[in-house]
Amino acid sequence: MTLETISAARSFGGTQCVYRHQSRATGTPMTFSLYLPPQATGGTPLPVLYFLSGLTCTHANVTEKGGYQRVCAELGLILVAPDTSPRGEEVADDDAYDLGQGAGFYVDATEAPFETHYGMYSYMIDELPELIGASFPADPRRASLTGHSMGGHGALTIALKNPSLFRSVSAFAPIVAPSRVPWGEKALAAYLGSDRAAWRRHDAVALIEDGARVPEILVDQGTSDSFLERELKPELLAEACAAASIPLTLRMQQGYDHSYYFISTFMEDHLRWHMARLLA
C-alpha cells in the first residue's frame, strides 16, 4: 500500500507527519497524521495510540490543538489520528454537520447512499493498523484507543468489540449511548437502517449490557459541556459499567467545555495512563 507524504515537521526531537493513501475500506483516498517520537530510530517497535476525532473534524484538529507531541516524545509513543470519514466529490454527504462527510461515526454503513464508501469501522480495525504496522516501527501487540465526542464513541465501541486488538481505551466527552441521543439516532438510522437491534453493535452502553468487556475505561467530561445532558449522558456509561463490574474512572472536570482547550488540558493524563498499560 503506497503512502504519500503530505507534510513532515520536526517536533520535540521526533517528526509530526501527515500521510494519504488509497483505502480499500472506503474506496477513497484517506488521510491520517502520525507522530513518530525520537525513539523510533532505535530499532525497537514502539507502542501506538489511535486518537479518533469528533464531528466536523479531520486529522488536523488534534494534531494542531491536542498538544500531545512533547509527552509522546518523552514516552516513546506513536500517535495516529485518522480522518473522521471518507471525503471527495463522489462521496455521499449531507447538508447537516452531523451526517455525511466529517461524521462517519466509525461504522460500516449498510444503507444507501452511504454504503459505498462509509467503511470506517473496517478501516479502523483492519486496514489502518495493518498499514501502520507495515510502514512504521509500531508494535501491533501494543495498541490502544482514545477519542473525543463521536470519536470517543468510536474508541469505546471498537475497543469493546475487539478486546484482543487494543490494550486500553479512554475517551474525552464521548457519545456513550448513541441509540438513545439525537446525534446517534440520526446517524445510526442513516448508516445502518431502522432496525435498532443493529444499532446495539455500535453503542458502548448497549455492548456492555450485551456482554462486551474491557479491563477498564478512563473518561474525562467537562461539566460546562453544552452537549452533556442532551447528547453525551456519561451517567449511562457509569451505570452500565457498574452493573458489569468494569472499572470506570469518570472524571467530571469542573467548568470545562467540549473544545480542544478541554482536551489539551487532560491529554497528558490520558497518554501516561495508556502508556502504563501498553508497557504492562
Side-chain angles (χ1 to χ4, degrees), residues 10 19 24 29 33 61 95 106 112 129 151 194 227 231 244:
R10 293 289 286 171
Y19 297 99
R24 65 176 183 265
S33 75
N61 296 76
D95 291 337
Y106 304 98
S194 59
F227 304 111
E231 304 285 2

Side-chain angles (χ1 to χ4, degrees), residues 152 156 160 169-174 176 204-205 208 213-221 232-252 270 273 277:
L156 291 171
L160 283 161
V169 61
S170 73
F172 300 85
V176 303
V205 169
I208 293 169
R213 297 291 183 267
V214 291
E216 57 184 318
I217 300 171
L218 169 64
V219 171
D220 274 304
Q221 172 65 62
L232 306 178
K233 298 185 180 296
E235 68 277 6
L236 298 180
L237 180 64
E239 293 168 3
C241 286
S245 298
I246 297 174
L248 168 66
T249 301
L250 173 58
R251 307 193 305 185
M252 300 300 296
H270 285 244
W273 185 87
R277 287 145 184 83

Side-chain angles (χ1 to χ4, degrees), residues 93-241:
D93 201 5
D94 191 89
D95 291 337
Y97 76 94
D98 54 357
L99 189 66
Q101 295 187 38
F105 267 81
Y106 304 98
V107 304
D108 285 348
T110 59
E111 300 297 303
F114 300 105
E115 83 282 12
T116 302
H117 296 296
Y118 283 75
M120 290 301 296
Y121 177 75
S122 292
Y123 182 70
M124 281 307 309
I125 67 162
D126 182 16
E127 184 175 10
L128 186 58
E130 176 187 326
L131 177 60
I132 298 303
S135 306
F136 303 97
D139 186 346
R141 299 166 302 175
R142 293 190 292 163
S144 292
L145 282 165
T146 188
H148 171 230
S149 194
M150 177 187 71
H153 141 77
L156 291 171
T157 56
I158 291 170
L160 283 161
K161 294 172 71 173
N162 300 276
S164 65
L165 296 182
F166 301 100
R167 288 205 181 181
S168 55
V169 61
S170 73
F172 300 85
I175 306 170
V176 303
S179 299
R180 298 162 65 175
V181 299
W183 273 343
E185 289 179 322
K186 177 179 180 178
L188 296 179
Y191 295 142
L192 303 177
S194 59
D195 182 6
R196 284 179 171 262
W199 300 7
R200 295 185 67 83
R201 296 191 292 271
H202 297 280
D203 180 308
V205 169
L207 283 165
I208 293 169
E209 291 173 346
D210 292 345
R213 297 291 183 267
V214 291
E216 57 184 318
I217 300 171
L218 169 64
V219 171
D220 274 304
Q221 172 65 62
T223 62
S224 295
D225 190 324
S226 60
F227 304 111
L228 176 56
E229 294 185 5
R230 177 178 170 86
E231 304 285 2
L232 306 178
K233 298 185 180 296
E235 68 277 6
L236 298 180
L237 180 64
E239 293 168 3
C241 286

